[in-house]
Amino acid sequence: MSKIASINTFIVDIPTIRPHKLSMTSMSVQSMVIVRIRDNNGLEGIGEGTTIGGLAYGPESPESIQTNIDKYFSPLIINQPASNINVLMQMLNQSIRGNYIAKSAVETALLDLKGKQLGVPVSDLLGGACHDKVDCLWVLASGNTEKDIEEAKAMIAQKRHCHFKMKIGARALEADIEHVIAVKKALGSNISIRVDVNQAWNEVTAVKGMAALQDAGIDLVEQPTPAKDFATLVRLSEKFNIPILADESIADKQDAYILAKQGFAGSVALKIAKAGGLKGALDVATLCTAAGIDVYGGTLLEGSIGTAAALHAWSTIPNMQFGTEMFGPLLLKDDFIKKPLQYRDFGVEIPTLPGLGLEIDEDKFTHYMRK
Ligand code: MUC
Ligand code: MG
């Protein structure tokens, strides 16, 4: 019987291709916690736990993810049978509260290991992929209108992305609206523009902002108001035709249940990091679908490992109206994966090799590993 023989964690820091500006932080480097789990036959599963801007986005930092896996997760599952992931995750969930990003990293590594043991892709472990490729947008977040327009036009010309999300909320409302309208006008009516406010507005600002964005033909407003304020999100979803995408508000299926019960109409961004893993994110999808809420394939700007893991999960969802944003690896200057994910024709392919379908380039991994 295969057992978990070792669990090792590393922080890998890779610079971004340009500063990535969100309402709460500006990123110039991405720090990824990479989990490597070996079984007693020498097979290895890899996982990733990544957040944005240290503690700026959520309550876990790269350092806390690494420390907590080393000190609290590993002793609970080391030497346990490797094949039953439900039992292993239950062991972790019984003793460890929260720490969803760390749980997602460990679950991903266990799924990769199991896929490799059985010779099947992770999507097969989740019941099977409904798609071989999913749509993938690009996020315009340079903070400069002309640069954003230039970047978007280049992406369209390369057939890499034709849908864009703009990060707003750091500046005054008027400046943000002007910026978004200028980009929308420059790209034309066929190009879908969405915005992500990352909780920066109060309800009064959101009402003004959403009215202006609706008039300008913007397709979606993501997390306009604070995460915990479900009542405002519901009121805004009733007031406007422009749909709302709930992101930070919804981590797991309990959040989704409460928001759905309050009458929210719109979409929910799934993220494996928010939900404690692929299975948790797919639970959110099931709950939302039952409540008539659309789901969307979200990212916490993971590198190739976290992105591939999420792609395996999203591939099993029959329909996602707004597609996905699994562009994380493209925001980084380099990668430590031998054969990168394949982006083409405005989307990204679902890997088909066993496990996640990725192989680490050890020289590059060592080069970028935090010493
Ligand atoms: C977020 O809030 O959506 C996803 C894309 C991006 O640029 O930032 C993330 C986080
Ligand atoms: Mg968001």
Side-chain angles (χ1 to χ4, degrees), residues 86 90 93 100 107 230 247-262 268-291 293 295:
N86 287 342
Q90 210 184 333
N93 285 324
Y100 285 154
E107 193 205 53
F230 284 17
D247 183 7
E248 290 93 315
S249 288
I250 307 300
D252 57 18
K253 62 184 176 199
Q254 281 81 15
D255 296 332
Y257 174 67
I258 296 166
L259 190 66
K261 213 165 68 160
Q262 290 189 14
V268 162
L270 308 175
K271 290 182 183 171
I272 59 170
K274 292 191 298 184
L278 287 69
K279 288 183 163 232
L282 291 175
D283 283 348
V284 176
T286 304
L287 200 138
C288 288
T289 307
I293 294 171
V295 294

mmCIF file of all heavy atoms in Angstrom, residues 86 90 93 100 107 230 247-262 268-291 293 295:
data_model
loop_
_atom_site.group_PDB
_atom_site.id
_atom_site.type_symbol
_atom_site.label_atom_id
_atom_site.label_comp_id
_atom_site.label_asym_id
_atom_site.label_seq_id
_atom_site.Cartn_x
_atom_site.Cartn_y
_atom_site.Cartn_z
ATOM 1 N N ASN A 86 -10.011 11.799 0.453
ATOM 2 C CA ASN A 86 -11.115 12.251 1.323
ATOM 3 C C ASN A 86 -10.761 12.055 2.795
ATOM 4 O O ASN A 86 -10.985 12.936 3.630
ATOM 5 C CB ASN A 86 -12.406 11.493 1.009
ATOM 6 C CG ASN A 86 -13.025 11.945 -0.302
ATOM 7 O OD1 ASN A 86 -12.693 13.014 -0.806
ATOM 8 N ND2 ASN A 86 -13.900 11.133 -0.852
ATOM 9 N N GLN A 90 -10.035 14.973 5.527
ATOM 10 C CA GLN A 90 -10.863 14.968 6.742
ATOM 11 C C GLN A 90 -9.982 15.051 7.990
ATOM 12 O O GLN A 90 -10.295 15.768 8.940
ATOM 13 C CB GLN A 90 -11.682 13.686 6.763
ATOM 14 C CG GLN A 90 -13.014 13.821 7.468
ATOM 15 C CD GLN A 90 -13.714 12.470 7.526
ATOM 16 O OE1 GLN A 90 -13.484 11.606 6.674
ATOM 17 N NE2 GLN A 90 -14.532 12.288 8.534
ATOM 18 N N ASN A 93 -8.983 18.626 8.165
ATOM 19 C CA ASN A 93 -10.102 19.532 8.485
ATOM 20 C C ASN A 93 -10.576 19.395 9.934
ATOM 21 O O ASN A 93 -11.054 20.353 10.524
ATOM 22 C CB ASN A 93 -11.259 19.308 7.511
ATOM 23 C CG ASN A 93 -10.943 19.927 6.156
ATOM 24 O OD1 ASN A 93 -10.306 20.982 6.081
ATOM 25 N ND2 ASN A 93 -11.362 19.280 5.086
ATOM 26 N N TYR A 100 -7.249 27.932 4.232
ATOM 27 C CA TYR A 100 -7.778 27.365 2.984
ATOM 28 C C TYR A 100 -6.729 27.276 1.882
ATOM 29 O O TYR A 100 -6.749 26.343 1.088
ATOM 30 C CB TYR A 100 -8.964 28.202 2.488
ATOM 31 C CG TYR A 100 -10.238 28.001 3.268
ATOM 32 C CD1 TYR A 100 -11.210 29.003 3.336
ATOM 33 C CD2 TYR A 100 -10.501 26.798 3.910
ATOM 34 C CE1 TYR A 100 -12.397 28.821 4.034
ATOM 35 C CE2 TYR A 100 -11.686 26.603 4.606
ATOM 36 C CZ TYR A 100 -12.630 27.613 4.669
ATOM 37 O OH TYR A 100 -13.802 27.416 5.347
ATOM 38 N N GLU A 107 -4.078 19.489 -0.876
ATOM 39 C CA GLU A 107 -5.024 18.658 -1.651
ATOM 40 C C GLU A 107 -4.554 18.510 -3.101
ATOM 41 O O GLU A 107 -4.635 17.428 -3.699
ATOM 42 C CB GLU A 107 -6.439 19.242 -1.613
ATOM 43 C CG GLU A 107 -7.471 18.248 -2.138
ATOM 44 C CD GLU A 107 -8.721 18.907 -2.696
ATOM 45 O OE1 GLU A 107 -8.597 19.797 -3.568
ATOM 46 O OE2 GLU A 107 -9.828 18.538 -2.266
ATOM 47 N N PHE A 230 -23.026 41.183 2.686
ATOM 48 C CA PHE A 230 -23.850 40.468 1.710
ATOM 49 C C PHE A 230 -25.096 41.284 1.342
ATOM 50 O O PHE A 230 -25.566 41.241 0.216
ATOM 51 C CB PHE A 230 -24.281 39.112 2.263
ATOM 52 C CG PHE A 230 -23.207 38.059 2.247
ATOM 53 C CD1 PHE A 230 -21.865 38.389 2.109
ATOM 54 C CD2 PHE A 230 -23.532 36.714 2.357
ATOM 55 C CE1 PHE A 230 -20.871 37.429 2.086
ATOM 56 C CE2 PHE A 230 -22.557 35.729 2.332
ATOM 57 C CZ PHE A 230 -21.227 36.083 2.210
ATOM 58 N N ASP A 247 -16.678 37.839 -5.429
ATOM 59 C CA ASP A 247 -15.379 37.156 -5.323
ATOM 60 C C ASP A 247 -15.010 36.961 -3.854
ATOM 61 O O ASP A 247 -15.291 35.924 -3.270
ATOM 62 C CB ASP A 247 -14.306 37.938 -6.100
ATOM 63 C CG ASP A 247 -12.956 37.241 -6.079
ATOM 64 O OD1 ASP A 247 -12.876 36.106 -5.586
ATOM 65 O OD2 ASP A 247 -11.950 37.823 -6.550
ATOM 66 N N GLU A 248 -14.429 38.005 -3.211
ATOM 67 C CA GLU A 248 -13.983 37.837 -1.824
ATOM 68 C C GLU A 248 -15.135 37.431 -0.889
ATOM 69 O O GLU A 248 -14.892 36.831 0.162
ATOM 70 C CB GLU A 248 -13.328 39.122 -1.300
ATOM 71 C CG GLU A 248 -11.972 39.454 -1.925
ATOM 72 C CD GLU A 248 -12.092 40.371 -3.136
ATOM 73 O OE1 GLU A 248 -12.977 40.136 -3.991
ATOM 74 O OE2 GLU A 248 -11.313 41.336 -3.233
ATOM 75 N N SER A 249 -16.382 37.759 -1.236
ATOM 76 C CA SER A 249 -17.530 37.392 -0.383
ATOM 77 C C SER A 249 -17.681 35.883 -0.235
ATOM 78 O O SER A 249 -18.178 35.398 0.785
ATOM 79 C CB SER A 249 -18.843 37.926 -0.976
ATOM 80 O OG SER A 249 -18.912 39.322 -0.827
ATOM 81 N N ILE A 250 -17.287 35.144 -1.277
ATOM 82 C CA ILE A 250 -17.579 33.705 -1.290
ATOM 83 C C ILE A 250 -16.298 32.885 -1.281
ATOM 84 O O ILE A 250 -15.594 32.810 -2.292
ATOM 85 C CB ILE A 250 -18.414 33.313 -2.539
ATOM 86 C CG1 ILE A 250 -19.664 34.182 -2.642
ATOM 87 C CG2 ILE A 250 -18.775 31.828 -2.504
ATOM 88 C CD1 ILE A 250 -20.615 34.086 -1.467
ATOM 89 N N ALA A 251 -16.014 32.263 -0.125
ATOM 90 C CA ALA A 251 -14.880 31.342 -0.065
ATOM 91 C C ALA A 251 -15.382 29.922 -0.288
ATOM 92 O O ALA A 251 -14.974 29.247 -1.215
ATOM 93 C CB ALA A 251 -14.164 31.465 1.272
ATOM 94 N N ASP A 252 -16.320 29.496 0.571
ATOM 95 C CA ASP A 252 -16.721 28.091 0.539
ATOM 96 C C ASP A 252 -18.229 27.949 0.356
ATOM 97 O O ASP A 252 -18.945 28.923 0.154
ATOM 98 C CB ASP A 252 -16.255 27.383 1.816
ATOM 99 C CG ASP A 252 -16.802 28.070 3.073
ATOM 100 O OD1 ASP A 252 -17.787 28.850 2.961
ATOM 101 O OD2 ASP A 252 -16.248 27.838 4.152
ATOM 102 N N LYS A 253 -18.714 26.707 0.447
ATOM 103 C CA LYS A 253 -20.123 26.449 0.147
ATOM 104 C C LYS A 253 -21.066 27.084 1.189
ATOM 105 O O LYS A 253 -22.199 27.426 0.850
ATOM 106 C CB LYS A 253 -20.390 24.956 -0.015
ATOM 107 C CG LYS A 253 -20.117 24.125 1.208
ATOM 108 C CD LYS A 253 -20.314 22.650 0.915
ATOM 109 C CE LYS A 253 -19.926 21.870 2.162
ATOM 110 N NZ LYS A 253 -19.656 20.488 1.932
ATOM 111 N N GLN A 254 -20.587 27.257 2.430
ATOM 112 C CA GLN A 254 -21.446 27.911 3.429
ATOM 113 C C GLN A 254 -21.707 29.356 3.024
ATOM 114 O O GLN A 254 -22.840 29.845 3.101
ATOM 115 C CB GLN A 254 -20.810 27.889 4.833
ATOM 116 C CG GLN A 254 -20.933 26.576 5.579
ATOM 117 C CD GLN A 254 -19.881 25.556 5.154
ATOM 118 O OE1 GLN A 254 -18.890 25.894 4.510
ATOM 119 N NE2 GLN A 254 -20.106 24.302 5.503
ATOM 120 N N ASP A 255 -20.659 30.068 2.590
ATOM 121 C CA ASP A 255 -20.825 31.451 2.120
ATOM 122 C C ASP A 255 -21.808 31.485 0.953
ATOM 123 O O ASP A 255 -22.687 32.350 0.881
ATOM 124 C CB ASP A 255 -19.493 32.026 1.613
ATOM 125 C CG ASP A 255 -18.438 32.134 2.698
ATOM 126 O OD1 ASP A 255 -18.807 32.296 3.877
ATOM 127 O OD2 ASP A 255 -17.244 32.066 2.362
ATOM 128 N N ALA A 256 -21.630 30.563 0.020
ATOM 129 C CA ALA A 256 -22.482 30.548 -1.175
ATOM 130 C C ALA A 256 -23.938 30.303 -0.791
ATOM 131 O O ALA A 256 -24.859 30.929 -1.339
ATOM 132 C CB ALA A 256 -21.994 29.469 -2.140
ATOM 133 N N TYR A 257 -24.135 29.430 0.182
ATOM 134 C CA TYR A 257 -25.498 29.123 0.640
ATOM 135 C C TYR A 257 -26.158 30.375 1.231
ATOM 136 O O TYR A 257 -27.293 30.716 0.909
ATOM 137 C CB TYR A 257 -25.440 28.000 1.683
ATOM 138 C CG TYR A 257 -26.769 27.685 2.327
ATOM 139 C CD1 TYR A 257 -27.799 27.130 1.586
ATOM 140 C CD2 TYR A 257 -26.990 27.962 3.677
ATOM 141 C CE1 TYR A 257 -29.019 26.845 2.172
ATOM 142 C CE2 TYR A 257 -28.202 27.677 4.265
ATOM 143 C CZ TYR A 257 -29.225 27.124 3.515
ATOM 144 O OH TYR A 257 -30.431 26.855 4.086
ATOM 145 N N ILE A 258 -25.406 31.092 2.078
ATOM 146 C CA ILE A 258 -25.973 32.283 2.731
ATOM 147 C C ILE A 258 -26.288 33.362 1.696
ATOM 148 O O ILE A 258 -27.376 33.964 1.713
ATOM 149 C CB ILE A 258 -25.019 32.824 3.825
ATOM 150 C CG1 ILE A 258 -24.864 31.789 4.947
ATOM 151 C CG2 ILE A 258 -25.525 34.142 4.405
ATOM 152 C CD1 ILE A 258 -23.712 32.064 5.897
ATOM 153 N N LEU A 259 -25.388 33.597 0.765
ATOM 154 C CA LEU A 259 -25.616 34.641 -0.250
ATOM 155 C C LEU A 259 -26.806 34.269 -1.149
ATOM 156 O O LEU A 259 -27.655 35.119 -1.462
ATOM 157 C CB LEU A 259 -24.356 34.860 -1.094
ATOM 158 C CG LEU A 259 -24.395 36.079 -2.014
ATOM 159 C CD1 LEU A 259 -24.434 37.381 -1.212
ATOM 160 C CD2 LEU A 259 -23.210 36.114 -2.975
ATOM 161 N N ALA A 260 -26.873 33.000 -1.537
ATOM 162 C CA ALA A 260 -27.985 32.555 -2.396
ATOM 163 C C ALA A 260 -29.312 32.714 -1.652
ATOM 164 O O ALA A 260 -30.309 33.185 -2.219
ATOM 165 C CB ALA A 260 -27.773 31.099 -2.804
ATOM 166 N N LYS A 261 -29.330 32.353 -0.359
ATOM 167 C CA LYS A 261 -30.558 32.431 0.444
ATOM 168 C C LYS A 261 -31.033 33.872 0.583
ATOM 169 O O LYS A 261 -32.219 34.138 0.694
ATOM 170 C CB LYS A 261 -30.283 31.826 1.826
ATOM 171 C CG LYS A 261 -31.489 31.128 2.408
ATOM 172 C CD LYS A 261 -31.145 30.240 3.565
ATOM 173 C CE LYS A 261 -30.682 31.027 4.771
ATOM 174 N NZ LYS A 261 -30.794 30.284 6.021
ATOM 175 N N GLN A 262 -30.079 34.831 0.548
ATOM 176 C CA GLN A 262 -30.465 36.242 0.670
ATOM 177 C C GLN A 262 -30.969 36.812 -0.651
ATOM 178 O O GLN A 262 -31.316 37.988 -0.731
ATOM 179 C CB GLN A 262 -29.284 37.059 1.190
ATOM 180 C CG GLN A 262 -28.966 36.747 2.644
ATOM 181 C CD GLN A 262 -27.942 37.709 3.239
ATOM 182 O OE1 GLN A 262 -27.638 38.763 2.687
ATOM 183 N NE2 GLN A 262 -27.404 37.339 4.375
ATOM 184 N N VAL A 268 -20.577 33.957 -9.264
ATOM 185 C CA VAL A 268 -19.623 33.753 -8.164
ATOM 186 C C VAL A 268 -18.286 33.289 -8.750
ATOM 187 O O VAL A 268 -18.256 32.388 -9.597
ATOM 188 C CB VAL A 268 -20.172 32.722 -7.151
ATOM 189 C CG1 VAL A 268 -19.064 32.174 -6.256
ATOM 190 C CG2 VAL A 268 -21.263 33.355 -6.278
ATOM 191 N N ALA A 269 -17.200 33.939 -8.297
ATOM 192 C CA ALA A 269 -15.855 33.526 -8.723
ATOM 193 C C ALA A 269 -15.401 32.360 -7.854
ATOM 194 O O ALA A 269 -15.263 32.495 -6.634
ATOM 195 C CB ALA A 269 -14.880 34.693 -8.588
ATOM 196 N N LEU A 270 -15.172 31.213 -8.494
ATOM 197 C CA LEU A 270 -14.623 30.050 -7.787
ATOM 198 C C LEU A 270 -13.122 30.210 -7.728
ATOM 199 O O LEU A 270 -12.504 30.647 -8.697
ATOM 200 C CB LEU A 270 -14.927 28.761 -8.558
ATOM 201 C CG LEU A 270 -16.362 28.479 -8.967
ATOM 202 C CD1 LEU A 270 -16.399 27.214 -9.833
ATOM 203 C CD2 LEU A 270 -17.247 28.314 -7.735
ATOM 204 N N LYS A 271 -12.522 29.867 -6.592
ATOM 205 C CA LYS A 271 -11.058 29.809 -6.522
ATOM 206 C C LYS A 271 -10.703 28.625 -5.640
ATOM 207 O O LYS A 271 -11.241 28.506 -4.528
ATOM 208 C CB LYS A 271 -10.476 31.104 -5.922
ATOM 209 C CG LYS A 271 -10.631 32.298 -6.860
ATOM 210 C CD LYS A 271 -10.037 33.588 -6.353
ATOM 211 C CE LYS A 271 -10.331 34.685 -7.362
ATOM 212 N NZ LYS A 271 -9.994 36.040 -6.921
ATOM 213 N N ILE A 272 -9.786 27.788 -6.100
ATOM 214 C CA ILE A 272 -9.424 26.630 -5.279
ATOM 215 C C ILE A 272 -8.789 27.109 -3.979
ATOM 216 O O ILE A 272 -8.956 26.499 -2.938
ATOM 217 C CB ILE A 272 -8.519 25.625 -6.039
ATOM 218 C CG1 ILE A 272 -7.211 26.264 -6.511
ATOM 219 C CG2 ILE A 272 -9.256 25.015 -7.217
ATOM 220 C CD1 ILE A 272 -6.195 25.242 -7.054
ATOM 221 N N ALA A 273 -8.077 28.250 -4.026
ATOM 222 C CA ALA A 273 -7.407 28.778 -2.837
ATOM 223 C C ALA A 273 -8.405 29.269 -1.791
ATOM 224 O O ALA A 273 -8.153 29.182 -0.595
ATOM 225 C CB ALA A 273 -6.480 29.919 -3.236
ATOM 226 N N LYS A 274 -9.545 29.804 -2.234
ATOM 227 C CA LYS A 274 -10.545 30.305 -1.281
ATOM 228 C C LYS A 274 -11.306 29.152 -0.638
ATOM 229 O O LYS A 274 -11.757 29.254 0.501
ATOM 230 C CB LYS A 274 -11.584 31.187 -1.989
ATOM 231 C CG LYS A 274 -11.090 32.501 -2.526
ATOM 232 C CD LYS A 274 -12.259 33.409 -2.966
ATOM 233 C CE LYS A 274 -13.099 32.856 -4.082
ATOM 234 N NZ LYS A 274 -14.149 33.794 -4.530
ATOM 235 N N ALA A 275 -11.482 28.073 -1.397
ATOM 236 C CA ALA A 275 -12.382 27.001 -0.963
ATOM 237 C C ALA A 275 -11.658 25.847 -0.286
ATOM 238 O O ALA A 275 -12.286 24.853 0.079
ATOM 239 C CB ALA A 275 -13.161 26.487 -2.174
ATOM 240 N N GLY A 276 -10.349 25.955 -0.115
ATOM 241 C CA GLY A 276 -9.587 24.864 0.514
ATOM 242 C C GLY A 276 -9.309 23.720 -0.438
ATOM 243 O O GLY A 276 -9.028 22.611 -0.006
ATOM 244 N N GLY A 277 -9.413 23.985 -1.733
ATOM 245 C CA GLY A 277 -9.051 22.953 -2.702
ATOM 246 C C GLY A 277 -10.038 22.818 -3.843
ATOM 247 O O GLY A 277 -11.025 23.554 -3.938
ATOM 248 N N LEU A 278 -9.746 21.846 -4.712
ATOM 249 C CA LEU A 278 -10.549 21.655 -5.918
ATOM 250 C C LEU A 278 -11.949 21.163 -5.565
ATOM 251 O O LEU A 278 -12.949 21.618 -6.130
ATOM 252 C CB LEU A 278 -9.876 20.631 -6.848
ATOM 253 C CG LEU A 278 -8.626 21.073 -7.608
ATOM 254 C CD1 LEU A 278 -7.438 21.288 -6.692
ATOM 255 C CD2 LEU A 278 -8.267 20.082 -8.699
ATOM 256 N N LYS A 279 -12.007 20.233 -4.618
ATOM 257 C CA LYS A 279 -13.306 19.662 -4.271
ATOM 258 C C LYS A 279 -14.191 20.707 -3.627
ATOM 259 O O LYS A 279 -15.398 20.778 -3.894
ATOM 260 C CB LYS A 279 -13.139 18.457 -3.344
ATOM 261 C CG LYS A 279 -12.572 17.275 -4.092
ATOM 262 C CD LYS A 279 -12.477 16.047 -3.210
ATOM 263 C CE LYS A 279 -12.312 14.828 -4.101
ATOM 264 N NZ LYS A 279 -13.277 13.784 -3.805
ATOM 265 N N GLY A 280 -13.603 21.532 -2.738
ATOM 266 C CA GLY A 280 -14.371 22.598 -2.091
ATOM 267 C C GLY A 280 -14.892 23.600 -3.105
ATOM 268 O O GLY A 280 -16.035 24.072 -3.006
ATOM 269 N N ALA A 281 -14.073 23.931 -4.100
ATOM 270 C CA ALA A 281 -14.501 24.894 -5.132
ATOM 271 C C ALA A 281 -15.636 24.307 -5.961
ATOM 272 O O ALA A 281 -16.593 25.010 -6.320
ATOM 273 C CB ALA A 281 -13.318 25.268 -6.015
ATOM 274 N N LEU A 282 -15.539 22.989 -6.246
ATOM 275 C CA LEU A 282 -16.612 22.361 -7.035
ATOM 276 C C LEU A 282 -17.892 22.231 -6.208
ATOM 277 O O LEU A 282 -18.998 22.269 -6.765
ATOM 278 C CB LEU A 282 -16.149 21.012 -7.585
ATOM 279 C CG LEU A 282 -15.061 21.126 -8.667
ATOM 280 C CD1 LEU A 282 -14.559 19.753 -9.089
ATOM 281 C CD2 LEU A 282 -15.556 21.906 -9.894
ATOM 282 N N ASP A 283 -17.763 22.134 -4.880
ATOM 283 C CA ASP A 283 -18.963 22.170 -4.004
ATOM 284 C C ASP A 283 -19.653 23.525 -4.134
ATOM 285 O O ASP A 283 -20.881 23.603 -4.173
ATOM 286 C CB ASP A 283 -18.572 21.978 -2.529
ATOM 287 C CG ASP A 283 -18.267 20.533 -2.189
ATOM 288 O OD1 ASP A 283 -18.566 19.650 -3.020
ATOM 289 O OD2 ASP A 283 -17.710 20.298 -1.098
ATOM 290 N N VAL A 284 -18.859 24.612 -4.159
ATOM 291 C CA VAL A 284 -19.432 25.957 -4.331
ATOM 292 C C VAL A 284 -20.177 26.015 -5.671
ATOM 293 O O VAL A 284 -21.297 26.535 -5.755
ATOM 294 C CB VAL A 284 -18.339 27.057 -4.282
ATOM 295 C CG1 VAL A 284 -18.928 28.436 -4.570
ATOM 296 C CG2 VAL A 284 -17.626 27.067 -2.933
ATOM 297 N N ALA A 285 -19.564 25.437 -6.699
ATOM 298 C CA ALA A 285 -20.193 25.452 -8.033
ATOM 299 C C ALA A 285 -21.536 24.738 -8.013
ATOM 300 O O ALA A 285 -22.525 25.227 -8.577
ATOM 301 C CB ALA A 285 -19.254 24.802 -9.050
ATOM 302 N N THR A 286 -21.585 23.590 -7.344
ATOM 303 C CA THR A 286 -22.837 22.818 -7.295
ATOM 304 C C THR A 286 -23.919 23.623 -6.586
ATOM 305 O O THR A 286 -25.062 23.724 -7.050
ATOM 306 C CB THR A 286 -22.614 21.480 -6.541
ATOM 307 O OG1 THR A 286 -21.560 20.795 -7.190
ATOM 308 C CG2 THR A 286 -23.868 20.633 -6.546
ATOM 309 N N LEU A 287 -23.536 24.230 -5.452
ATOM 310 C CA LEU A 287 -24.514 25.004 -4.684
ATOM 311 C C LEU A 287 -25.030 26.190 -5.501
ATOM 312 O O LEU A 287 -26.226 26.455 -5.557
ATOM 313 C CB LEU A 287 -23.864 25.486 -3.387
ATOM 314 C CG LEU A 287 -24.913 25.844 -2.353
ATOM 315 C CD1 LEU A 287 -24.522 25.354 -1.001
ATOM 316 C CD2 LEU A 287 -25.205 27.318 -2.346
ATOM 317 N N CYS A 288 -24.111 26.900 -6.153
ATOM 318 C CA CYS A 288 -24.501 28.065 -6.960
ATOM 319 C C CYS A 288 -25.415 27.647 -8.107
ATOM 320 O O CYS A 288 -26.438 28.287 -8.373
ATOM 321 C CB CYS A 288 -23.267 28.778 -7.519
ATOM 322 S SG CYS A 288 -22.355 29.678 -6.261
ATOM 323 N N THR A 289 -25.033 26.596 -8.789
ATOM 324 C CA THR A 289 -25.830 26.147 -9.937
ATOM 325 C C THR A 289 -27.252 25.821 -9.490
ATOM 326 O O THR A 289 -28.222 26.171 -10.169
ATOM 327 C CB THR A 289 -25.163 24.908 -10.591
ATOM 328 O OG1 THR A 289 -23.808 25.237 -10.864
ATOM 329 C CG2 THR A 289 -25.852 24.536 -11.888
ATOM 330 N N ALA A 290 -27.375 25.172 -8.327
ATOM 331 C CA ALA A 290 -28.711 24.836 -7.816
ATOM 332 C C ALA A 290 -29.525 26.092 -7.537
ATOM 333 O O ALA A 290 -30.754 26.093 -7.641
ATOM 334 C CB ALA A 290 -28.578 23.992 -6.554
ATOM 335 N N ALA A 291 -28.839 27.196 -7.181
ATOM 336 C CA ALA A 291 -29.537 28.447 -6.835
ATOM 337 C C ALA A 291 -29.669 29.374 -8.050
ATOM 338 O O ALA A 291 -30.075 30.531 -7.908
ATOM 339 C CB ALA A 291 -28.779 29.145 -5.707
ATOM 340 N N ILE A 293 -27.238 30.603 -9.822
ATOM 341 C CA ILE A 293 -26.114 31.555 -9.857
ATOM 342 C C ILE A 293 -25.016 30.974 -10.753
ATOM 343 O O ILE A 293 -24.620 29.817 -10.581
ATOM 344 C CB ILE A 293 -25.583 31.799 -8.420
ATOM 345 C CG1 ILE A 293 -26.648 32.521 -7.577
ATOM 346 C CG2 ILE A 293 -24.277 32.591 -8.437
ATOM 347 C CD1 ILE A 293 -26.314 32.620 -6.094
ATOM 348 N N VAL A 295 -21.248 30.435 -12.317
ATOM 349 C CA VAL A 295 -19.912 30.407 -11.715
ATOM 350 C C VAL A 295 -18.847 30.738 -12.753
ATOM 351 O O VAL A 295 -19.055 30.596 -13.957
ATOM 352 C CB VAL A 295 -19.594 29.059 -11.020
ATOM 353 C CG1 VAL A 295 -20.490 28.849 -9.825
ATOM 354 C CG2 VAL A 295 -19.684 27.884 -11.993
#
